[in-house]
Amino acid sequence: MKQDDEGLDGLVRKRIRALRVAQGWSLEELATRARLSQSSLSRIENGQRRLALDQLVTLARALDTTLDQLVETATDDVVTSPMIDGAHGVMRWPIKGDPGMTVMRQRMTEPPPDNPARMRAHPGREWLVVLSGTAILMLGTRRFRLEANQAAEFPTMMPHAIGAEGGPCEILGIFDRDARRGHQREDGDRDA
């Protein structure tokens, strides 16, 4: 890597220092954790020593991060546009840092099913927040009433269903890969 303060080299050096400071560690503390001398770490942070891959791996571990996160430069795609399914009133945003995660916004008008046999159970976890209106979350035999700005998080192995109460509601949900798959029918429709 270059030894100037421009580009990736300078960015990595700034990240190392910022992560060290965020942990509240002195140069000596991080150097000890990374098994480097304090002067070597100081020269790395100040751009006076060449960055070596083996040192970056050791520093990433000591800073409780990954090498990928330490050298990541992809900041050009900060804004993400939703994928819109107008037929079902659903907007989805993939999470770039974790392709298995999806954020979904949905407007609901129907109450959850009365019949427990119509509830779904599948691997995964789900988190949701009510944006407007009142939502009813059925988890097994329990019924939760969620007002605007209230959130719920639950394992989706518990039979569950979500619907509106007293008029339309909007929810924003975050699904891990398994929960997202569990909410997709074979024909591609979504079922809450």
Side-chain angles (χ1 to χ4, degrees), residues 82-96:
M83 295 175 270
I84 300 172
D85 178 354
H88 299 98
V90 175
M91 284 194 284
R92 298 173 198 245
W93 295 266
I95 297 176
K96 292 178 186 167

Side-chain angles (χ1 to χ4, degrees), residues 14-92:
K14 288 175 186 172
R15 282 184 181 152
I16 291 169
R17 184 177 194 291
L19 288 168
R20 176 179 62 78
V21 170
Q23 294 283 355
W25 294 339
S26 65
L27 277 168
E28 182 180 5
E29 287 175 288
L30 179 56
T32 301
R33 291 171 185 269
R35 297 188 175 159
L36 295 170
S37 72
Q38 185 176 339
S39 63
S40 291
L41 178 58
S42 177
R43 288 192 307 257
I44 287 171
E45 284 187 4
N46 293 321
Q48 298 169 352
R49 182 174 176 158
R50 184 174 82 57
L51 290 172
L53 183 58
D54 60 334
Q55 290 173 332
L56 287 178
V57 170
T58 302
L59 283 166
R61 275 193 204 117
L63 290 164
D64 195 28
T65 189
T66 65
L67 182 59
D68 288 347
Q69 290 173 326
L70 201 55
V71 300
E72 181 179 36
T73 61
T75 58
D76 51 340
D77 292 341
V78 173
V79 177
T80 302
S81 296
M83 295 175 270
I84 300 172
D85 178 354
H88 299 98
V90 175
M91 284 194 284
R92 298 173 198 245

